[in-house]
Amino acid sequence: MSSTDSAGPRRTALDALHRSLGATMTDFAGWDMPLRYGSERDEHVAVRTRAGLFDLSHMGEITVTGPQAAGLLNHALVGNIASVGVGRARYTMICRADGGILDDLIVYRPAESEYLVVANASNAQVVLDALVERSAGFDAEVRDDRDAYALIAVQGPESPGILKALTDADLDGLKYYAGLPGTVAGVPALIARTGYTGEDGFELFVKPEHAVALWQALTEAGQGVGLVPCGLSCRDTLRLEAGMPLYGHELTTGLTPFDAGLGRVVKFEKEGDFVGREALAAAAARSEATPPRVLVGLVAEGRRIPRAGFAVVAGGEVIGEVTSGAPSPTLGRPIAMAYVDAAHAAPGTAGVGVDIRGSHEPYEVVALPFYKRQK
């Protein structure tokens, strides 16, 4: 990725290409990123039914290598990273000593003693600093590789066919949450079957100087099946429909993984101590004794759109708070994720509403996700 001067937002290697496509650009976590190219609804529908192409080069890549790389990551993160097989990936989190979530991450293991940690753009520096600090005493190196990669994602039901036209890598054998080195359109890449849309798809980690050629090759290969470039706006509605948490909304330092309903990512049984273990054990015990607020789905009965921070109400009382809300192109109605008191969390709970500027709009409580693709 190329940077602008320190005063302005950073620009990805695809910046000029986005502008040539007429993208509406926005500052996101210090990066100038495409918000949409045309209609965000059309981009969303393309990913659900055909395929979409995303520039995700703002994500933060951190490489951890060395004989004790696995030990370092087991100590620094809440998951059992040592058990991730070569060529596989795992969703996990990095927490503070008090159990608060610093970020949610995907960790890839491309080689025996090499891991690629992918952090959210807004938290990349925080994660890097924490890993460097936590590496003391381990025979392992933590390397800031944010400038070493561009990241391009192709997502949607047509994405396997599009990619197959450009690579001889064994895509059929590539499972979800796996990644293998290969060549796509003549470009060396880490090909990962991961994504943030709820659809099948791939994320391609490449050198920044190869990004434009790869984007153009994917565009050409997808022409006949309706592939379109997609911005961050539809990425947000796609992940919301898929019930996937977004840091700063569903996940914060004020919540532990147990508060977020993601206690399953914390592996107490792994060898050795890890940062936050004591606090997280206490949080696990608390959530057993007194269930915390539960992350639920809300579907509007009307047309008004709930936004993050709006109060969820029942019987005149505040029972929770919206964390993310948007119109759902797939459901045709506004939807939201919200943390609500356990007593009101069961799907179908009656009498729940969202306070939208003083008016209590009725909402149906549903189980997450809102949308699940047909396998």
Side-chain angles (χ1 to χ4, degrees):
M1 278 83 74
S2 59
S3 299
T4 57
D5 60 69
S6 57
R10 300 182 75 186
R11 294 183 174 185
T12 78
L14 292 161
D15 184 78
L17 195 149
H18 297 316
R19 292 169 195 277
S20 75
L21 292 171
T24 300
M25 305 297 285
T26 189
D27 185 336
F28 184 83
W31 289 86
D32 220 4
M33 298 299 293
L35 188 63
R36 69 182 74 80
Y37 297 84
S39 152
E40 56 206 48
R41 187 184 183 283
D42 289 350
E43 291 170 23
H44 179 114
V45 172
V47 176
R48 285 276 177 261
T49 59
R50 302 184 304 278
L53 193 57
F54 296 84
D55 179 10
L56 306 179
S57 301
H58 61 313
M59 299 295 280
E61 295 89 2
I62 301 160
T63 301
V64 181
T65 56
Q68 293 184 317
L72 161 58
L73 290 172
N74 263 12
H75 165 69
L77 311 180
V78 301
N80 187 353
I81 307 306
S83 70
V84 178
V86 173
R88 298 308 303 264
R90 185 159 297 164
Y91 176 80
T92 188
M93 293 182 183
I94 183 167
C95 290
R96 303 192 305 195
D98 68 1
I101 303 166
L102 280 173
D103 201 13
D104 62 334
L105 312 164
I106 295 180
V107 180
Y108 300 88
R109 189 177 191 177
E112 186 60 40
S113 56
E114 180 185 340
Y115 295 84
L116 181 66
V117 178
V118 181
N120 285 296
S122 54
N123 295 331
Q125 191 64 48
V126 169
V127 173
L128 177 67
D129 291 346
L131 287 175
V132 168
E133 185 185 319
R134 295 173 190 188
S135 68
F138 288 93
D139 186 4
E141 182 198 350
V142 176
R143 189 172 71 235
D144 179 359
D145 268 351
R146 284 175 288 179
D147 287 337
Y149 289 104
L151 177 55
I152 295 173
V154 55
Q155 299 278 302
E158 297 287 354
S159 57
I162 292 168
L163 207 54
K164 275 180 189 172
L166 298 173
T167 183
D168 57 7
D170 177 18
L171 298 185
D172 291 333
L174 188 66
K175 297 187 175 85
Y176 187 51
Y177 267 74
L180 80 167
T183 304
V184 182
V187 169
L190 173 65
I191 305 166
R193 199 164 207 151
T194 46
Y196 195 49
T197 62
E199 296 298 335
D200 192 10
F202 302 87
E203 295 183 316
L204 307 170
F205 296 83
V206 299
K207 288 182 175 175
E209 57 265 33
H210 294 150
V212 170
L214 179 57
W215 180 282
Q216 289 172 334
L218 287 162
T219 299
E220 208 169 298
Q223 261 175 353
V225 291
L227 173 82
V228 300
C230 293
L232 294 183
S233 188
C234 83
R235 190 168 184 251
D236 190 49
T237 51
L238 289 158
R239 71 92 197 166
L240 177 54
E241 288 185 349
M244 294 175 167
L246 174 64
Y247 195 88
H249 290 255
E250 289 73 40
L251 309 174
T252 68
T253 52
L255 295 171
T256 72
F258 295 94
D259 297 320
L262 291 165
R264 65 181 181 274
V265 305
V266 182
K267 302 300 182 189
F268 293 114
E269 70 277 12
K270 66 180 172 176
E271 278 183 38
D273 196 14
F274 63 92
V275 177
R277 175 192 273 274
E278 203 176 308
L280 289 168
R286 271 198 314 275
S287 69
E288 285 284 317
T290 312
R293 281 185 165 176
V294 179
L295 188 64
V296 300
L298 299 174
V299 178
E301 293 180 20
R303 311 301 307 171
R304 298 185 72 186
I305 297 161
R307 297 297 184 194
F310 285 12
V312 182
V313 293
E317 300 288 317
V318 174
I319 58 150
E321 186 176 302
V322 171
T323 53
S324 297
S328 164
T330 305
L331 275 64
R333 290 195 281 170
I335 59 173
M337 285 200 277
Y339 282 109
V340 303
D341 294 344
H344 298 272
T349 300
V352 172
V354 174
D355 186 339
I356 301 183
R357 297 180 185 83
S359 169
H360 290 187
E361 300 289 325
Y363 274 74
E364 181 189 354
V365 179
V366 300
L368 292 169
F370 300 97
Y371 165 85
K372 213 172 207 165
R373 72 182 171 96
Q374 301 302 306
K375 297 280 193 234

